[in-house]
Amino acid sequence: MTIIVPAKTQTDFKIIEHLANRIWTEHYTPIIGKDQVSYMLQKFQSAAAIEDQVQNGMVYYLLIYEDKEVGYFSFSRQEGALFLSKIYVLNSLRGRGIGSATISFLEKQAKKLDLHKIKLTVNRFNSSSIKAYEKMGFKNVGTTVQDIGGGFVMDDFILEKPVK
Ligand SMILES: CC(C)(COP(=O)(O)OP(=O)(O)OC[C@H]1O[C@@H](n2cnc3c(N)ncnc32)[C@H](O)[C@@H]1OP(=O)(O)O)[C@@H](O)C(=O)NCCC(=O)NCCS
């Protein structure tokens, strides 16, 4: 069973930083290359960067499975949608329903906030995750290219899932 716990303390942010280092390095190096992975980890997923995001309205949660921290996700409210900013599960524990449990949790949160869709962006070449999102009911509604500094861009599809 997946347990979902809000991340609030410095210790939680450090755990997320470690998970991000493991997951992003393994998963994204073949997709965006090691320089962009290092740049993005430092800019967006250091404990200090996470703390800053939380102070600015982003919420982070840890995913616990069989008593271990195995992943995390974060979301914010954005123009009538619940924006799922990040969802990462350790490679060895994918395909066990942790992602689906997270989406069910987010649907409940969206309803509480009177938001009628979950929105996310995913790298165009992140095909395994795109397949998982499609299985979880997301539809591709467009594309976006975002300049993130350092000479890098995020070249993404926009996916949405209605919340009824
Ligand atoms: C995307 C991700 C969070 C999904 O989490 P997960 O715990 O593996 O998801 P689940 O086990 O709940 O699977 C959800 C559905 O997707 C399907 N699925 C999962 N991985 C799949 C894959 N690689 N190919 C096809 N379908 C897949 C599952 O079969 C399930 O469908 P079902 O309910 O019809 O059986 C996880 O794969 C991940 O962390 N990926 C790497 C990091 C990443 O790219 N994150 C997204 C950034 S935008």
Side-chain angles (χ1 to χ4, degrees):
M1 198 183 86
T2 308
I3 299 174
I4 296 174
V5 182
K8 291 187 169 163
T9 65
Q10 298 279 346
T11 311
D12 296 335
F13 302 152
K14 268 278 164 205
I15 293 169
I16 293 172
E17 180 186 286
H18 285 298
L19 284 166
N21 273 307
R22 273 180 75 181
I23 300 170
W24 287 44
T25 304
E26 174 264 325
H27 189 75
Y28 280 124
T29 305
I31 302 177
I32 55 176
K34 79 174 172 23
D35 291 348
Q36 185 163 351
V37 170
S38 314
Y39 176 81
M40 290 180 74
L41 280 172
Q42 202 212 338
K43 185 160 171 145
F44 302 121
Q45 299 289 260
S46 68
I50 293 164
E51 185 174 7
D52 194 51
Q53 291 161 32
V54 168
Q55 279 165 5
N56 286 295
M58 186 73 76
V59 283
Y60 272 82
Y61 285 83
L62 277 163
L63 291 162
I64 317 285
Y65 190 81
E66 291 175 348
D67 291 331
K68 292 194 185 73
E69 292 98 358
V70 299
Y72 66 97
F73 63 94
S74 72
F75 69 88
S76 64
R77 210 180 164 130
Q78 199 187 82
E79 293 159 13
L82 186 152
F83 182 70
L84 174 57
S85 171
K86 294 172 188 70
I87 172 169
Y88 297 97
V89 176
L90 285 173
N91 190 6
S92 55
L93 289 150
R94 289 178 202 150
R96 297 189 191 200
I98 298 171
S100 302
T102 304
I103 300 303
S104 300
F105 173 86
L106 290 171
E107 285 174 326
K108 288 189 195 117
Q109 296 293 314
K111 281 183 195 159
K112 275 190 207 160
L113 296 165
D114 198 27
L115 299 170
H116 302 287
K117 61 184 173 188
I118 302 174
K119 182 176 171 183
L120 61 87
T121 57
V122 57
N123 185 287
R124 285 166 188 247
F125 303 102
N126 191 353
S127 40
S128 58
S129 300
I130 292 169
K131 281 187 197 137
Y133 285 135
E134 284 170 347
K135 285 255 179 94
M136 292 190 281
F138 284 83
K139 298 257 181 301
N140 189 331
V141 298
T143 58
T144 171
V145 179
Q146 231 182 300
D147 188 334
I148 53 166
F152 299 112
V153 294
M154 292 201 312
D155 187 5
D156 290 344
F157 288 131
I158 304 167
L159 268 54
E160 288 184 358
K161 178 180 166 91
V163 174
K164 288 167 198 134

